Amino acid sequence: MSNQKNTAIIRFFGLFLILATIATVILAACGGTANPQTATTGTTPTAAATVAPTATPTPAPTPTPTTAPTPTAAPPTPTPQPPPPTPKPQPPAPKVVQVSIIMQNGQFAFSPATITIPKGSPVVWTNNTGAPHTVTSNNGQFTSSGTFNQGQTFSATFATAGTFTYHCSIHTYMTATVVVTG
Ligand SMILES: [Cu+2]
């Protein structure tokens, strides 16, 4: 009986020693190597550990594009683009000068009797009486009109400077003058 008990104890301790040896070898492989490294070159692992975490977290929080979408929504307001009233280069348009044929103190007359116009300006005579009249050049300096009645008009353009006298061929006392300036 005692021999069998001793044998069981020996086997138990033998198994225990085997397990303890295996555990010691595993610990020596993992922790045993770490101890000499920390003792001799302990600065290398600590430096690598400190540099790595600091570099990685900084770039991650930087992306803050939350402010960008807010200003982009505002710009689509500029719609003030109605500048079409630019084509107005019409200063050399000749001014039309009006002469009225009227009844004045019982007589027909050109009114105004004398007009002064720039070269190239058209003149329009309007018959505002009940009688027919003409605009006839005294010496043929410009093309005369035919007879025009009440409400009708005659127009002429004086292209050259000078003094142009005219009359009515029906009522020869009706005389007037057109002065054309250069
Ligand atoms: Cu007349």
Side-chain angles (χ1 to χ4, degrees):
M1 290 299 288
S2 61
N3 291 330
Q4 292 180 351
K5 185 178 288 182
N6 290 333
T7 303
I9 291 168
I10 289 167
R11 286 180 180 175
F12 175 79
F13 278 106
L15 184 62
F16 176 80
L17 286 172
I18 290 167
L19 291 173
T21 303
I22 292 169
T24 304
V25 170
I26 292 169
L27 289 173
C30 297
T33 52
N35 289 333
Q37 286 181 353
T38 51
T40 53
T41 58
T43 53
T44 45
T46 50
T50 50
V51 173
T54 49
T56 47
T58 44
T62 45
T64 56
T66 53
T67 55
T70 45
T72 50
T77 49
T79 52
Q81 297 174 352
T86 46
K88 288 183 178 179
Q90 298 174 350
K95 179 184 176 182
V96 177
V97 180
Q98 300 285 344
V99 176
S100 180
I101 299 174
I102 60 172
M103 172 70 78
Q104 189 175 37
N105 298 326
Q107 290 188 322
F108 301 116
F110 296 102
S111 177
T114 300
I115 58 173
T116 301
I117 62 171
K119 185 169 58 180
S121 291
V123 181
V124 176
W125 286 266
T126 302
N127 185 352
N128 292 312
T129 72
H133 301 281
T134 69
V135 173
T136 303
S137 174
N138 286 6
N139 53 14
Q141 285 179 304
F142 65 92
T143 302
S144 300
S145 75
T147 299
F148 55 105
N149 297 309
Q150 186 175 17
Q152 293 181 321
T153 62
F154 167 71
S155 63
T157 298
F158 297 84
T160 59
T163 299
F164 303 87
T165 55
Y166 65 94
H167 64 277
C168 174
S169 62
I170 301 171
H171 315 91
T172 54
Y173 66 90
M174 295 173 62
T175 59
T177 303
V178 175
V179 178
V180 179
T181 61

